[in-house]
Amino acid sequence: KLKIMAAIFPNLFSITSRTLPILLSLPFHTTSFHLYASMSSTSPVFKRAKIDGLPTSTKTIGTHSGTFQADEALGCWMLRQTPTYRNSPVVRSRDPAVLDTCDIVIDVGGVYDHEKLRYDHHQRDYDEKFTPKQNKDGTTSERCTKLSASGLVYRHYGKEVIKQYYPDLTEEMLNLAYEKMYNSFCEAIDAIDTGVEPIPGGLDPPVSLVYRDSTGLSARVSRCNPRWNEVDATTNQPPNSDERFEIASQMCGDDFMSVLSKIVEADLPARSIVEQAVNDRYECDASGEIIKLPSGGLPWKSEVYELEHQYKIEPLIKYVLYTDQAGMWRIQCVSVEGKAFENRLGLPKEWRGVRDQDLEKIAGIEGCTFCHAAGFIGGNKSYEGALEMARVALKKGGE
């Protein structure tokens, strides 16, 4: 057993008198992902590698001049993380003769050909999309957006970028991080660049946004472009567009790494913990709609949705129990997938906005500490109390 584990995970740990009993206690059927992810989040597999010392490439990256957007700014940054194009200079031009001298060209040129290293998406007959999205019922559906320049770069070089920073990820973990990264970051860049509305048309009655968000990456990159009347106070000349592009590209890279580091360093180590809680849900409560996590703080929302899809869970999970930093037990509602503020089953209306002894009297449960006015989270001094709150909430059905 130990020889097989050592062969599968040669860099994960050294076998010592302390780790030997732990390894021997693991069930032999444990999957590679579960074994990896159940180790400490500080394991080398989740540690980001330093690539600053890699040699600078002599190859050139070409893209269009003029107003820039997030897709080519992000695409150039991603390419620069690979050994082939590490910190390569970017040539911004619309002159075909100039672009022909570049080793790789994105977002300009009217050609998408991976073998020729040309990645434009503006062709009339272009219809490239990312891998189909997994639905709740186990089926797949086509993506809402075509791939922009960054999407094409991510399709062909995304896994290489991820492996540069996290070289010890297993193939299973790499594929999961690759999919998560597109779903939570890259797809929005593609959709905004290709003009996909966030609310589908044809709804009856029509639906419109109640507020506009201009804090996203695409909007921030757009604001890096020199304004039509902007003048540099030092030179009394318009700002250098290429210099602004470099600022925008690094901004894209910072956001990319912020999301990727959360996925690899927080989500992946948490996944096996959430999976165990989901598998043990009937031990927590006979309904199967309540799960218990061993500690608070770990990311669980996206993992719950994905595991529900994977295991085709029915009924869906309604409440998650965990402790906060102060040791209080929390009961939190699982939101409707795809919704930010709509719960599958909110806490009872008569509990909302009530605290401590007043809440104990209304709920008839000892140890209640609070229930948020929006009814999405509550607290209790003990696990038994939090579990009873969840059970009562299930019976009341959100009334």
Side-chain angles (χ1 to χ4, degrees):
K1 180 177 178 179
L2 287 175
K3 288 181 179 178
I4 294 174
M5 287 183 176
I8 298 174
F9 311 115
N11 299 320
L12 183 58
F13 46 73
S14 58
I15 298 176
T16 66
S17 59
R18 177 176 295 181
T19 59
L20 181 60
I22 299 175
L23 295 177
L24 291 174
S25 68
L26 289 170
F28 191 66
H29 66 270
T30 299
T31 66
S32 60
F33 178 84
H34 187 87
L35 179 57
Y36 249 131
S38 62
M39 302 299 287
S40 167
S41 61
T42 59
S43 168
V45 72
F46 303 119
K47 186 176 181 180
R48 186 193 305 184
K50 296 181 179 180
I51 67 172
D52 294 338
L54 294 179
T56 297
S57 172
T58 58
K59 295 182 180 295
T60 56
I61 302 170
T63 190
H64 63 80
S65 55
T67 301
F68 50 80
Q69 294 83 31
D71 69 321
E72 76 267 22
L74 174 60
C76 288
W77 180 88
M78 285 192 286
L79 288 173
R80 284 169 154 176
Q81 308 315 299
T82 67
T84 304
Y85 304 104
R86 178 62 181 160
N87 290 334
S88 288
V90 174
V91 175
R92 300 179 66 238
S93 174
R94 293 189 182 274
D95 185 341
V98 173
L99 294 173
D100 284 345
T101 66
C102 297
D103 295 283
I104 187 169
V105 177
I106 69 171
D107 208 36
V108 68
V111 175
Y112 166 46
D113 189 327
H114 179 50
E115 291 186 358
K116 295 180 179 178
L117 304 180
R118 296 299 185 259
Y119 304 92
D120 195 12
H121 65 104
H122 297 99
Q123 303 83 280
R124 186 186 182 112
D125 59 348
Y126 177 87
D127 194 33
E128 298 294 327
K129 295 184 177 181
F130 200 67
T131 54
K133 182 174 289 187
Q134 293 289 328
N135 298 322
K136 300 176 185 178
D137 59 2
T139 61
T140 60
S141 59
E142 191 176 57
R143 297 282 177 169
C144 69
T145 176
K146 299 176 184 180
L147 295 172
S148 68
S150 59
L152 288 174
V153 171
Y154 188 74
R155 168 191 274 181
H156 294 287
Y157 303 93
K159 289 184 180 180
E160 185 178 359
V161 172
I162 296 171
K163 286 288 282 186
Q164 284 297 305
Y165 285 97
Y166 299 97
D168 294 325
L169 290 179
T170 65
E171 190 68 22
E172 185 179 359
M173 284 184 168
L174 175 62
N175 291 336
L176 184 58
Y178 177 71
E179 188 80 13
K180 278 176 167 284
M181 194 66 199
Y182 186 80
N183 291 340
S184 59
F185 184 77
C186 297
E187 186 171 37
I189 305 298
D190 286 342
I192 292 171
D193 190 80
T194 57
V196 177
E197 293 287 352
I199 296 178
L203 298 178
D204 188 18
V207 177
S208 60
L209 295 173
V210 295
Y211 63 87
R212 294 281 178 180
D213 178 18
S214 60
T215 63
L217 178 59
S218 294
R220 288 185 285 124
V221 167
S222 178
R223 289 195 291 270
C224 287
N225 282 282
R227 296 186 298 274
W228 69 274
N229 58 351
E230 187 174 359
V231 175
D232 187 286
T234 303
T235 64
N236 204 35
Q237 296 293 322
N240 186 302
S241 182
D242 290 345
E243 292 177 358
R244 290 289 184 87
F245 176 83
E246 293 294 339
I247 293 173
S249 185
Q250 186 57 52
M251 179 190 298
C252 291
D254 291 342
D255 276 26
F256 183 98
M257 288 307 302
S258 176
V259 177
L260 179 62
S261 62
K262 176 187 178 297
I263 288 172
V264 176
E265 299 174 26
D267 293 354
L268 294 188
R271 187 176 178 86
S272 68
I273 298 174
V274 178
E275 183 175 11
Q276 189 65 54
V278 169
N279 289 336
D280 293 344
R281 65 192 183 281
Y282 286 104
E283 296 179 18
C284 181
D285 184 72
S287 69
E289 298 177 66
I290 306 169
I291 64 172
K292 170 192 173 185
L293 299 177
S295 63
L298 61 86
W300 55 264
K301 293 181 181 180
S302 64
E303 308 305 325
V304 166
Y305 300 140
E306 291 173 7
L307 291 166
E308 286 177 335
H309 296 172
Q310 179 180 338
Y311 293 115
K312 297 179 174 59
I313 290 174
E314 191 65 39
L316 299 178
I317 295 163
K318 306 301 189 303
Y319 301 114
V320 178
L321 310 181
Y322 59 87
T323 55
D324 63 15
Q325 294 180 343
M328 180 197 304
W329 277 93
R330 299 289 187 107
I331 167 177
Q332 185 166 341
C333 306
V334 179
S335 59
V336 174
E337 188 172 1
K339 302 283 187 178
F341 304 109
E342 181 181 346
N343 300 316
R344 287 174 173 173
L345 188 62
L347 296 176
K349 293 181 180 179
E350 65 267 25
W351 296 4
R352 300 177 187 183
V354 185
R355 302 186 63 88
D356 303 323
Q357 293 181 347
D358 292 336
L359 182 56
E360 285 185 343
K361 293 177 182 178
I362 294 174
I365 301 171
E366 184 178 350
C368 292
T369 55
F370 81 98
C371 179
H372 194 278
F376 76 96
I377 193 169
N380 196 286
K381 296 176 182 177
S382 70
Y383 164 69
E384 292 76 16
L387 178 59
E388 185 61 21
M389 290 175 73
R391 286 170 172 167
V392 171
L394 279 176
K395 291 178 182 178
K396 288 182 172 289
E399 297 177 357

